[in-house]
């Protein structure tokens, strides 16, 4: 796991200046994890025990199906379904209702092996971003040149290890606030403008940057891109 973290080049993630860099980082981590789970982790008993117990959410199952071999996915499901069965009446004596097993099942349905891992890794990444922001003026410059930081990652960047930032906390806060706050204002302005374009008095007015303001708002608020309708139809 440690290797994964170190091999994510933070500078490269921030270089494209396209959308939220932390979302890009998460996407990279998720993709690697989904490939790992359906690849080399197949042979790691410790990982298999955890994936059997925790299972996966829809988002990460979808990635695994997309990135991994069908046989790998089937083998993961085979042992996971066995574990699910153990938490259902199948293994309780005479099919008796078992409260503990139901509780275990509820935990299981909420859990996801990859979600857990990403959460942990993203927190570590935030610590590295903090350290780079403090120690490397070039990175501080690159950070300030990002188009924006999405809402979720604004909260994450400011919540994780505040103490670690020490005296630099205020500077980091101001820099991050500028990225999120300025974009929020711009976005809000675009959405308001979009709404106003439906007023007949503005029939000849310019749409400006407002046409895709709905999609951009959702992306800012959720960290997820809206897939254009045409792309969905094509599939
Ligand atoms: Zn983000
Ligand atoms: Zn998940």
């Amino acid at each position: 796991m440690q290797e994964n973290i170190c091999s994510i080049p933070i500078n490269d993630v921030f270089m494209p200046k396209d959308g939220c860099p932390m979302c890009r980082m998460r996407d990279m981590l998720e993709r690697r994890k989904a490939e790992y789970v359906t690849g080399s982790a197949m042979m790691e008993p410790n990982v298999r025990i955890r994936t059997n117990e925790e299972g996966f959410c829809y988002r990460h199952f979808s990635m695994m199906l997309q990135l991994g071999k069908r046989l790998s996915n089937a083998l993961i499901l085979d042992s996971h379904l066995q574990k699910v069965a153990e938490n259902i009446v199948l293994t309780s004596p005479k099919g008796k209702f078992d409260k503990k097993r139901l509780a275990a099942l509820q935990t299981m349905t909420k859990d996801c092996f990859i979600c857990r891992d990403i959460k942990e890794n993203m927190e570590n990444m935030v610590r590295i971003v903090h350290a780079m922001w403090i120690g490397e003026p070039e990175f501080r410059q690159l950070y300030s040149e990002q188009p924006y930081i999405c809402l979720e990652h604004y909260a994450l960047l400011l919540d994780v290890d505040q103490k670690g930032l020490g005296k630099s906390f205020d500077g980091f806060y101001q820099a991050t606030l500028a990225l999120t706050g300025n974009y929020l204002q711009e976005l809000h302005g675009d959405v308001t403008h979009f709404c106003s374009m439906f007023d007949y008095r503005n029939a000849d007015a310019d749409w400006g940057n407002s046409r895709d303001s709905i999609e951009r708002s959702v992306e800012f608020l959720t960290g997820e891109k809206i897939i254009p309708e045409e792309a969905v139809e094509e599939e």
Side-chain angles (χ1 to χ4, degrees), residues 28 40 53 77 148 167 177 189 196 209:
M28 281 172 85
S40 53
E53 286 281 347
L77 283 166
Y148 69 91
K167 279 186 278 180
L177 176 68
S196 76
N209 284 326

Side-chain angles (χ1 to χ4, degrees), residues 86-113:
E86 284 169 21
N87 286 327
I88 298 192
V89 285
L90 292 178
T91 51
S92 80
K94 294 177 190 166
K96 257 187 153 181
F97 178 71
D98 185 337
K99 218 176 169 180
K100 271 191 196 149
R101 284 210 167 91
L102 188 65
L105 192 69
Q106 279 168 328
T107 310
M108 204 176 211
T109 53
K110 284 186 201 118
D111 234 336
C112 167
F113 175 76

